[in-house]
Amino acid sequence: MSRSSIFDLLHQRHQEAVPVVETTARSDYLPDRLHLVDGVALTPAGFVARGVLPDAIPPELSESLHGPDGYRLLVHPIKDVMPLEDNRLKRLEHKAHRLNALVQTLMVEALIMLEALPEGAGFDLILTLPIRSSQAGDIILAQAREAIMETQYGDRLESARLAPCQGELHDQMAVPEEGGAAWALWLSADSLLNDDDVARLEARGVLGRSSKGPGLHPGEAVSALLLQRVLPDHDAFDQGWMIEKATTCRHEKRSEQRDYYRREQLFALLGQVWPDNTGTPPDTTEKNQALPVAPAWLVVDSLTLPGRAVEAGGALMARWEMLDLIDDGIGVDIHGGWPGEAMSALQLVLATARLKQHDCALVLNIADEMQSRALVLRACIGPTVMADQL
């Protein structure tokens, strides 16, 4: 995708006004709630944003990466990446150089999202990058901060930090004891197009090879999300999505269970995160507001690993027979390869790409052998809209 076409798409994106909130640094934000306002991403399939979802693309043979069988690997590279020459990063950690290029490539689109900030509101910059060198991480963070400082939003940047890739989203976005801004710009990137990450996938037994059965094809992605931390006394939001903490279920290895038991485990998890509210009186309070009968859109991390498509399809059909996993959902690894630690942020962007203002989405993680995870994007519906729907 050319840079000009990305900007053409961005100019089509409509930025709605958001409610003005208190911008003073506070530390009493709700630890289990986040307000997702907007998100963009760059993937091997192309640019992703609200209303913009490119078609899935097939993997291609790598020129440099080979599997243990000696055959060239099937991979998903991002083609349109800003060329950077930073020998410091290459000396410290070669992967860090690629991640910095990915971040800088998406920086303009990330900054455009800041137009949604209330007048005068400050924000924090948070980066999640799976690199070993802390010095390399500091360099990438400094360059991202410098890019912001050169814009009209520079004087509104209150802090910039690196957050661990592992862990719950709400913990990554949490503020220190001295407090933080109500708004956060989150950038997350990863690239598995290197020998070390290929070796890790092989060690896990999930690497997709050109010479044998299904598996994960190394890919890469970079995402930017504009999030709002939620205060206990906040007013109701009339746009975006509320994200509560994910529900995780640990279980026996998938490979050692029959399809029926795997489907039943996932079916039970769906019942926990998306209760059947049919026949129950409507509740107009935001916290307990009933979800729709079914999600409008599904995002699943993997459908190419053995048994995952059957497991997800069976559980979803049993829970919502009107849903079609192909027409109403997307498998991240099918769409543009396996994005590694960039998965969590990318799933959120992919979830919002197909949603209308008052639609809700379900995000599933079933690639792991011994656990399943489900996350709901609950549409924010203002009091007027709620009254009209009752």
Side-chain angles (χ1 to χ4, degrees), residues 6 154 159 199 223 302 323 327 357 368:
I6 287 179
S159 71
S223 302
S302 175
L323 282 185
D327 294 336
Q357 183 174 353
D368 195 288

Side-chain angles (χ1 to χ4, degrees), residues 261-301:
Y261 293 109
R262 293 165 58 180
R263 188 198 71 179
E264 289 302 300
Q265 286 172 168
L266 186 56
F267 180 81
L269 178 61
L270 296 177
Q272 293 180 52
V273 300
W274 203 290
D276 184 359
N277 295 301
T278 304
T280 60
D283 190 336
T284 58
T285 61
E286 182 188 33
K287 177 69 176 177
N288 299 316
Q289 180 187 314
L291 287 163
V293 174
W297 186 241
L298 308 163
V299 180
V300 187
D301 59 347

Side-chain angles (χ1 to χ4, degrees), residues 4 16 28 40 144 157 184 280 282 293 340 377:
S4 60
E16 299 182 20
D28 60 337
V40 293
L157 177 60
T280 60
V293 174
L377 274 67

Side-chain angles (χ1 to χ4, degrees), residues 78-89:
I78 296 177
K79 299 294 180 63
D80 187 20
V81 178
M82 181 181 295
L84 295 179
E85 287 299 329
D86 193 327
N87 292 327
R88 296 175 302 165
L89 287 176

